Amino acid sequence: MIKTLYLRVVLTFSAVVVTSVLLAFPIAMFLYTDVITTEVETGLLKVGNQLVKMSKEFEPKDLESFLEESTNLTDSYALTLFDSDGNPTAFGMQNNHFMHVKPEEVKMVLEGQTLKKMNLDYGKFQDPAKVNVGLHLQVDGKQYALFVAPKFSEETRNQIRTSLVTVLIIVLLIGSFLILIASRYIVSPIKKLTLATNRLARGNFNVYVKVKRKDEIGLLAEGFNHMAGELKQLEQMRQDFVSNVSHEIQSPLTSIRGFSKALRQPDIQEEDRHRYLEIIERESERLSRLSENLLKLASLESEHHPFLPTTFDLDEQLRRVVVFYEPQWSDKQLELDLDLPKVKITADADQLNQVWMNLLGNAIKFTPPHGKIRIKLEVQTDRVHVLIQDNGIGIRKEDQDRIFDRFYKADQSRQRENGGNGLGLSIARKIIEVHKGMIEVRSEPGEGTLFVITLPTVAYPPKQHN
């Protein structure tokens, strides 16, 4: 069994070369048979016409001696002479061998016709008696039929066969050598890919295959490098996720543990005891929200999260969210500007409600007292745009591309004070994506932030993967 690609490629290419050579020769001979036949015919006619011409000019008394001498001058052709009675005489033939000429063919030539018999069989060097031309010859008032045929000795035939075999062997050897080189060129990047794949399987994501080719193997290497980069990024995200979760859990646990120990002190004041219990309660709620958000985000990303579309008034839903946050924005004396024309959409109301809660909650948190928040609906034929804008602290340009990442906090101190865990925007974006919508942010530090959410008026349930 062939176990290496290199050997498989070499054997395949070698088989292709051998097959091509074996097929090429008969095909070439088939294509060039007419050319060879024409050349042989021209040569035989030339020899025959010269003999006829010389016989007329010199009118030899002994025609047979004349023809015998002419064949002795060259070893390239043989002659057969038929008299008027059809009796043959061979010249230049071994063992007085006669050509294969039918009586009716002899009769045709004796009557003055020229006969051409060129039945070459695709490069086979046949008996010359089967390939000939016949010419009418008249000497001393007698009629003759002169047939001229090419003369191939057995030695000549063997030399031709040997030459052809030699050429085929040389072609095969050169082709095989070139195949060995070409196969290395083909297999080398695959070996690199195999080594890189083994390293990747062992957990080493810092792999890169250097292949400068632009063919299919080059595209494969490029795809592998892209995959390795994505896996490296995924591994980094996993490590960051574990680190962030550990950090988010450790901080409230530390507070709970510390204040729990403080509560055990016998001389603690009643006022301090209540304050410590409030802190423990707040940190416990923070842990609960973190756990709930993690479970919700995992459910959304698993694509098996329940999706329950209903038709409802989006403008009314937004008003209810504003009313829910009334204590917070009233406490900061914020101005809310609502531009909410009536619009119905078909979507998962509970999921979208969480999006508005998150975005409006963030706007209230990061808008200074006496600030302004604007909520606007823009309705199109099959889409609706929800704009939530504040004039708060804004978001830096370098942070805008990352605010939707899990646990990312553009302002660590403010997020800590407000109990944020950096998962709200990640959940909001995932919900919008489930609804086949889009969320984008536009912001300038110190000038406020605008979130633009685009939703289809009818959202279909996402496809479930088995």
Side-chain angles (χ1 to χ4, degrees):
M1 180 181 292
I2 302 174
K3 295 184 178 181
T4 65
L5 178 62
Y6 179 73
L7 183 57
R8 189 185 300 273
V9 171
V10 170
L11 293 178
T12 301
F13 280 12
S14 298
V16 170
V17 169
V18 172
T19 304
S20 299
V21 169
L22 294 178
L23 291 177
F25 179 73
I27 291 174
M29 292 306 301
F30 174 79
L31 296 175
Y32 287 99
T33 294
D34 290 341
V35 176
I36 297 173
T37 300
T38 302
E39 291 182 356
V40 172
E41 178 185 313
T42 302
L44 295 179
L45 287 174
K46 183 178 179 180
V47 171
N49 289 328
Q50 287 180 345
L51 292 174
V52 171
K53 182 179 179 181
M54 292 174 63
S55 299
K56 290 181 179 180
E57 290 181 355
F58 297 105
E59 295 186 356
K61 294 182 179 180
D62 189 350
L63 180 58
E64 294 183 0
S65 299
F66 170 75
L67 295 177
E68 184 68 34
E69 290 296 330
S70 65
T71 56
N72 291 335
L73 295 175
T74 178
D75 197 31
S76 60
Y77 62 90
L79 304 174
T80 298
L81 183 67
F82 291 87
D83 58 20
S84 57
D85 296 328
N87 299 316
T89 305
F91 305 94
M93 294 282 190
Q94 295 181 355
N95 301 323
N96 204 30
H97 182 68
F98 297 102
M99 296 182 190
H100 298 279
V101 183
K102 299 178 181 179
E104 54 269 25
E105 294 174 344
V106 176
K107 183 179 180 182
M108 291 171 56
V109 176
L110 288 173
E111 292 175 352
Q113 298 184 35
T114 299
L115 180 67
K116 302 173 184 177
K117 191 176 179 182
M118 298 287 119
N119 57 339
L120 290 175
D121 190 7
Y122 306 140
K124 294 182 180 179
F125 299 98
Q126 302 170 330
D127 185 345
K130 295 182 180 180
V131 180
N132 52 62
V133 296
L135 300 97
H136 178 259
L137 178 63
Q138 182 176 345
V139 177
D140 197 19
K142 296 180 180 180
Q143 307 297 323
Y144 297 94
L146 178 63
F147 288 84
V148 185
K151 188 176 181 181
F152 298 132
S153 64
E154 190 62 32
E155 182 180 355
T156 302
R157 297 182 192 181
N158 292 334
Q159 288 178 351
I160 294 175
R161 294 191 185 98
T162 302
S163 299
L164 289 175
V165 172
T166 302
V167 170
L168 294 178
I169 292 175
I170 292 174
V171 170
L172 182 60
L173 291 177
I174 295 176
S176 300
F177 176 73
L178 294 177
I179 287 169
L180 292 174
I181 299 175
S183 299
R184 288 186 176 274
Y185 174 75
I186 294 174
V187 175
S188 177
I190 297 179
K191 288 184 176 180
K192 293 180 181 179
L193 281 170
T194 302
L195 294 175
T197 303
N198 292 332
R199 292 171 58 190
L200 193 66
R202 290 193 294 268
N204 183 2
F205 298 101
N206 295 313
V207 293
Y208 183 83
V209 180
K210 295 182 179 179
V211 177
K212 298 181 180 180
R213 297 162 56 168
K214 300 298 182 182
D215 55 8
E216 287 79 0
I217 294 181
L219 293 176
L220 176 62
E222 184 179 344
F224 175 85
N225 291 332
H226 178 71
M227 179 190 69
E230 291 294 322
L231 289 175
K232 181 179 179 180
Q233 184 178 1
L234 185 63
E235 174 64 15
Q236 185 62 45
M237 290 174 59
R238 186 188 67 83
Q239 293 178 2
D240 292 343
F241 178 79
V242 173
S243 176
N244 289 326
V245 170
S246 300
H247 177 75
E248 291 293 332
I249 293 176
Q250 185 65 33
S251 179
L253 285 178
T254 301
S255 297
I256 292 172
R257 183 171 58 250
F259 288 106
S260 297
K261 290 181 179 179
L263 286 173
R264 297 173 63 183
Q265 300 299 323
D267 56 347
I268 186 173
Q269 299 291 330
E270 186 67 18
E271 180 181 351
D272 290 337
R273 188 174 67 84
H274 282 289
R275 184 166 59 86
Y276 294 163
L277 287 174
E278 288 178 359
I279 294 174
I280 292 174
E281 183 180 4
R282 185 170 64 248
E283 293 299 321
S284 299
E285 291 176 352
R286 182 178 164 192
L287 278 175
S288 178
R289 287 195 303 271
L290 174 62
S291 175
E292 181 182 354
N293 286 336
L294 284 173
L295 290 174
K296 187 170 296 183
L297 186 58
S299 177
L300 288 168
E301 291 182 341
S302 71
E303 299 184 355
H304 290 283
H305 188 77
F307 187 86
L308 305 173
T310 58
T311 301
F312 61 94
D313 295 321
L314 180 60
D315 56 303
E316 187 63 29
Q317 185 185 53
L318 290 169
R319 287 190 183 93
R320 287 197 298 268
V321 173
V322 172
V323 172
F324 176 84
Y325 277 115
E326 193 273 339
Q328 286 86 346
W329 55 264
S330 294
D331 184 60
K332 297 180 73 172
Q333 299 181 3
L334 301 178
E335 176 186 351
L336 266 75
D337 180 13
L338 304 182
D339 183 5
L340 304 175
K342 190 172 183 62
V343 57
K344 287 184 177 292
I345 68 169
T346 300
D348 191 313
D350 290 338
Q351 291 187 18
L352 288 184
N353 188 72
Q354 185 172 359
V355 174
W356 315 136
M357 295 282 288
N358 180 273
L359 295 178
L360 184 56
N362 284 344
I364 295 172
K365 287 178 185 178
F366 299 111
T367 300
H370 307 286
K372 182 178 180 180
I373 297 175
R374 186 185 186 199
I375 303 177
K376 181 180 180 181
L377 271 175
E378 295 179 352
V379 183
Q380 295 181 346
T381 303
D382 59 345
R383 291 192 168 271
V384 59
H385 302 284
V386 181
L387 291 77
I388 301 178
Q389 185 174 16
D390 63 64
N391 62 349
I393 61 176
I395 305 173
R396 294 178 301 178
K397 191 70 175 178
E398 57 270 24
D399 292 326
Q400 292 180 25
D401 294 334
R402 299 191 60 191
I403 60 172
F404 296 105
D405 294 346
R406 291 173 294 184
F407 296 108
Y408 186 78
K409 302 172 185 177
D411 189 330
Q412 298 287 341
S413 60
R414 292 293 298 272
Q415 286 274 16
R416 184 71 62 191
E417 292 172 5
N418 291 297
N421 50 41
L423 292 176
L425 288 177
S426 298
I427 294 174
R429 182 178 65 172
K430 190 62 183 178
I431 291 174
I432 297 300
E433 289 176 350
V434 169
H435 283 75
K436 308 302 180 185
M438 182 175 62
I439 181 171
E440 55 182 324
V441 60
R442 305 167 191 168
S443 181
E444 290 291 339
E447 298 182 6
T449 302
L450 169 64
F451 282 92
V452 180
I453 300 92
T454 303
L455 290 169
T457 54
V458 178
Y460 295 96
K463 294 181 178 180
Q464 300 294 326
H465 298 278
N466 295 325

